[in-house]
Amino acid sequence: TCHAGMLDGRIPIKIGEEHVGFLVIGQVFEKMPEKESACSYARELGIDQELYWHQVQKTKIASLEQIGKAAKFLEFIGREIISLVSANLKLRREAENRKKIELELEESEERFRLLVENARDAIFLSDTKGKFLMVNKQACLSTGYDQKELLSMETRDIEIQHSEQSIKKILADLCEGKTYRTNGLHRRKDGSTFPVEVVLSGYLNKGQQLIVAVARDMSEQKKNEAYRERLISETRESEKKFHMAFDTSPNALSITTLPDGIYADINQSFSRISGYSPDEVIGKSVLELKLWKDESVRDHLLSELKEKGYVEELEAEFTVKNGSTVYASMSASIIKLKGVPHVIAMMRDITAQVKAELENRRLEQELAKKEESQRNIVENSTNLFYSRSPSHELTYISPQSHEF
């Protein structure tokens, strides 16, 4: 009952666990109030008393029992309304979700279509008999057929490496869930052929078994493989020639790491000149073998290599295995083996030449000494000495000639 003496009622409205509002009933009198009582309430509200009393007389009279029945009826109506509203909201949400899913599906299908259409590999979709149902742009470009022509054809029309029986067997296996990766040979519209690598798989679409074949043109790869094989063959032949020239060279050849000077290889002439076998040299350092008689010359060699990348005709002395000295003219350059810098050096034995030069110098010096001694004898003698040319002209006359 409100302050004015009227009966009110509220029925809560809930959707699920969420309270969303009320259904309100009432604004009736259980019995008509006295005029004075009604006018007193009007005075409290500050409204016209006669007008208020006039409206009060129009208000319906209902018992508590009637109000209770009305409330129960409204509660039933409220539940039905709530049920309808909930169902409507659920349907609306489902419709919105379905629309969103359909939109996402359309976008996904469009992305997939663009992906397939612009793929670098040829893509063929066929039924279990091999008839093409869909082909992409690359399938048309690689075979030379347009889309309409390909969709009227079957797998056996372009695949010529596999027999018709083999194709049927592959298609049957694909229907059982197997996946294939195989090599094939496709024939173009102009009759030319090209090698392909094909990946095949099967799947069900709305109850229909379909086959997807992704074919990659291997022409360029095959050319690259052939080119690579040729390069490998030429490299091996070149290495064979190099080793033959390396091993049979009359000059001592060696390959050492840079800068630590570890011997990686030597030839037969190196062993002949140094006296060391390959097993005694390879894996050891230049310093360990103590071949250089003057290490400063080797330091000069390394400095020149660092500055110019090569050295030509550098003369040096080496101490060989038997302790004797070998004179050599060295030329060297930097090379890379498997990405690691090495020095390839050629040592030309000039021992005989150097010894001959030293012997010539010794003989020249002895001859000079003898000539000086004879000159002293002639110049200090009391006798007259002279010499003539074949034409009898005087070529020498001793200082004593003025005495005669």
Side-chain angles (χ1 to χ4, degrees):
T1 303
C2 70
H3 185 61
M6 302 179 80
L7 297 175
D8 289 326
R10 293 188 306 172
I11 300 167
I13 300 174
K14 295 178 70 177
I15 298 178
E17 296 299 321
E18 184 181 359
H19 181 273
V20 296
F22 295 95
L23 285 175
V24 180
I25 63 172
Q27 293 295 292
V28 296
F29 290 112
E30 188 177 3
K31 62 180 183 178
M32 183 61 65
E34 297 291 334
K35 181 178 181 180
E36 179 55 34
S37 175
C39 289
S40 173
Y41 182 64
R43 285 193 298 271
E44 287 181 19
L45 296 177
I47 59 178
D48 187 275
Q49 298 178 39
E50 289 299 326
L51 180 61
Y52 180 73
W53 172 246
H54 179 71
Q55 293 298 324
V56 166
Q57 288 178 313
K58 292 181 179 180
T59 303
K60 291 183 178 181
I61 306 298
S63 66
L64 286 173
E65 183 181 356
Q66 290 175 317
I67 293 294
K69 289 180 179 180
K72 287 182 180 179
F73 178 72
L74 282 176
E75 185 179 4
F76 170 76
I77 294 298
R79 283 198 301 269
E80 290 300 311
I81 291 172
I82 290 169
S83 176
L84 290 172
V85 170
S86 297
N88 186 51
L89 288 173
K90 184 177 179 181
L91 288 172
R92 184 179 295 177
R93 281 196 294 266
E94 288 178 353
E96 289 174 352
N97 287 336
R98 186 164 55 250
K99 187 175 181 181
K100 182 181 178 182
I101 290 169
E102 288 173 353
L103 183 61
E104 289 176 351
L105 182 60
E106 287 177 4
E107 292 175 350
S108 176
E109 288 176 346
E110 180 62 15
R111 285 195 297 269
F112 177 74
R113 187 191 68 78
L114 290 172
L115 180 65
V116 170
E117 189 62 22
N118 295 289
R120 295 176 61 186
D121 296 327
I123 300 176
F124 303 85
L125 180 67
S126 66
D127 60 19
T128 53
K129 293 182 180 179
K131 185 180 186 313
F132 297 134
L133 305 175
M134 187 278 291
V135 295
N136 71 344
K137 187 191 299 181
Q138 186 57 38
C140 298
L141 291 174
S142 62
T143 61
Y145 294 100
D146 61 34
Q147 188 180 57
K148 186 177 180 180
E149 289 173 320
L150 281 175
L151 293 181
S152 67
M153 299 166 68
E154 298 181 5
T155 303
R156 61 185 179 180
D157 295 323
I158 63 170
E159 171 52 50
I160 62 173
Q161 180 167 299
H162 292 275
S163 65
E164 186 173 349
Q165 195 64 29
S166 173
I167 293 173
K168 287 182 178 179
K169 173 69 168 57
I170 291 173
L171 292 174
D173 288 342
L174 289 170
C175 291
E176 294 178 4
K178 293 182 180 179
T179 299
Y180 265 90
R181 181 184 291 272
T182 183
N183 293 320
L185 191 66
H186 282 187
R187 179 169 51 206
R188 298 186 182 92
K189 186 176 181 179
D190 62 7
S192 61
T193 60
F194 61 99
V196 291
E197 181 185 64
V198 187
V199 178
L200 303 107
S201 59
Y203 74 100
L204 276 173
N205 181 40
K206 297 178 181 179
Q208 183 184 9
Q209 184 72 41
L210 300 175
I211 308 298
V212 176
V214 180
R216 175 165 294 180
D217 187 345
M218 303 297 287
S219 302
E220 198 63 33
Q221 184 171 330
K222 292 292 184 183
K223 288 179 184 177
N224 291 338
E225 287 176 359
Y227 178 68
R228 185 164 57 250
E229 288 297 323
R230 184 167 61 83
L231 282 182
I232 291 172
S233 176
E234 289 176 355
T235 301
R236 286 174 179 167
E237 186 64 26
S238 177
E239 287 177 352
K240 184 178 178 181
K241 291 177 180 178
F242 170 79
H243 283 296
M244 184 178 294
F246 184 86
D247 290 334
T248 59
S249 172
N251 296 316
L253 297 174
S254 64
I255 299 175
T256 56
T257 58
L258 189 70
D260 45 10
I262 303 297
Y263 281 100
D265 201 2
I266 61 172
N267 71 345
Q268 295 175 8
S269 294
F270 187 98
S271 295
R272 175 177 52 78
I273 293 171
S274 69
Y276 290 104
S277 68
D279 290 339
E280 293 175 303
V281 175
I282 295 172
K284 294 181 180 179
S285 72
V286 176
L287 297 177
E288 190 176 355
L289 291 175
K290 298 180 179 179
L291 288 172
W292 291 79
K293 198 164 187 178
D294 186 350
E295 288 295 333
S296 65
V297 181
R298 179 175 179 268
D299 293 339
H300 175 68
L301 172 76
L302 293 175
S303 177
E304 288 287 298
L305 283 172
K306 185 176 180 181
E307 182 180 345
K308 298 189 298 185
Y310 66 93
V311 172
E312 293 180 341
E313 301 295 334
L314 175 68
E315 293 188 3
E317 297 178 45
F318 297 90
T319 303
V320 296
K321 186 176 181 180
N322 62 12
S324 63
T325 298
V326 169
Y327 298 91
S329 174
M330 286 199 69
S331 295
S333 62
I334 297 175
I335 60 172
K336 279 194 175 183
L337 298 177
K338 296 181 180 179
V340 179
H342 286 68
V343 175
I344 182 167
M346 181 188 74
M347 186 171 70
R348 181 166 56 86
D349 188 356
I350 58 172
T351 304
Q353 177 185 333
V354 171
K355 286 184 175 180
E357 290 175 355
L358 292 174
E359 180 63 17
N360 287 339
R361 285 198 206 107
R362 186 184 66 78
L363 291 174
E364 287 173 358
Q365 289 173 357
E366 287 183 0
L367 180 59
K369 287 180 180 179
K370 286 181 180 180
E371 288 178 347
E372 182 66 24
S373 175
Q374 291 173 353
R375 184 178 293 108
N376 288 334
I377 291 171
V378 169
E379 290 179 353
N380 293 311
S381 173
T382 56
N383 297 319
L384 175 65
F385 293 91
Y386 66 92
S387 64
R388 288 185 178 185
S389 67
S391 58
H392 302 288
E393 294 179 357
L394 287 173
T395 57
Y396 173 79
I397 186 168
S398 63
Q400 294 88 346
S401 61
H402 64 279
E403 296 179 3
F404 295 89

